[in-house]
Amino acid sequence: MDSYTILAINPGSTSTKISVFHDEEEVMTDTQRYDTSVIQQFHGVMDQEDFRYAEILKVLESHNIALENLDCVVGRGGLLKPIPGGTYIVGDDMLADLRSCQYGAHASNLGAPLALCLGKGKPAYIVDPVVVDEMMPEARLSGHPDIPRISIFHALNQKAVGHRAARELGISYEEASFVIAHMGGGISVGAHSKGRVVDVNNALDGEGPFSPERAGSLPTGGLVKLCFSGAYTKEEIGKKILGKGGLVAHLGTSDLREAEKRVAQGDEKAALVVDAMAYLVAKEIGSKAVTLAGKMDAIVLTGGLAHGENFVGRIRRRIDWMGKVLVYPGEDEMQALAEGALRVLRGEEEPRRYGA
């Protein structure tokens, strides 16, 4: 089997993660961090492309990594129109949508153009951006046609651990059925059926369990009254839903470790809130099990919160009866990017074209 050298890049709001892989092995990793004052000098996120390109080159040079020795470059996917999951070739249509920011402005929009520039003619890819949409038709409908359900979730990590779980079970991801719960700053739970995420909660702005900093699903009537109470601006309501909801709203901290520490010290409110979050995760897993008619190869728990043994234990007490439970703590985005590129380089998966 041929061996491949892959550069993976993951732009964040004030940082860029850079990793080099020889096949699945990460042989170099670095995180560049930028002062907020530097980033604020740019008018918009896409104006940072030349600056970040030059800074990445400095890192590669410091590690004696030559661009000509790379087989491909893979970047974190940005905000695009809804697309099926997979590894996508960076092309003109994709770059136009990312640079225009017509679907939203985020630092991850820089992943594709940077990959193309750094590739110097070598293949450039993105893998499973957050806008992956494979929902079955009946999952798209809400109770009103003006408010359809939208697929925005932790697609990169969910798909990566789906492949990992399938390998562990001796089957392919494309023939497997999983319920996968990504549990981090936001929580998304997807029903994976034969390589497609046929239903998933919109973890960004409104569905599913509350999380360390997101409110999740809220009583509709109560939310409407709050919106029209005159006490809050639209921006303030938005913060209650995303950023200042969930654990931080109830307990004043978004750190599950701190919340668990309070539980251990006898804090009854903290115990109730943490248990409620675990209950809602289990409840969402149950709803996705219904999507799959109960025919699952495994339930998979992943993301940063999966490091918390007590929290995972609270969830398992409610779901163990459903079948096998696999736990993959953390969210290794760089590994997931490299593995997505490797599947294409090895001929295990056909690359997709955006807009085709």
Side-chain angles (χ1 to χ4, degrees), residues 231-250:
Y232 305 100
T233 65
K234 178 182 177 181
E235 290 72 23
E236 288 169 337
I237 292 291
K239 280 291 185 183
K240 285 181 178 292
I241 294 171
L242 175 60
K244 293 185 178 179
L247 277 188
V248 73
H250 285 290

Side-chain angles (χ1 to χ4, degrees), residues 140-149:
R140 299 183 188 280
L141 269 65
S142 75
H144 199 284
D146 288 347
I147 314 174
R149 295 187 62 235

Side-chain angles (χ1 to χ4, degrees), residues 144-202:
H144 199 284
D146 288 347
I147 314 174
R149 295 187 62 235
I150 297 172
S151 175
I152 298 180
F153 70 110
H154 305 90
L156 182 61
N157 190 48
Q158 283 212 25
K159 290 274 189 175
V161 297
H163 282 279
R164 180 177 172 183
R167 287 195 300 270
E168 184 172 323
L169 297 175
I171 55 179
S172 72
Y173 174 64
E174 288 71 26
E175 62 185 351
S177 293
F178 298 120
V179 174
I180 300 180
H182 173 103
M183 307 178 297
I187 296 174
S188 62
V189 183
H192 295 237
S193 177
K194 301 188 184 306
R196 297 178 62 84
V197 185
V198 296
D199 195 3
V200 66
N201 61 296
N202 177 349

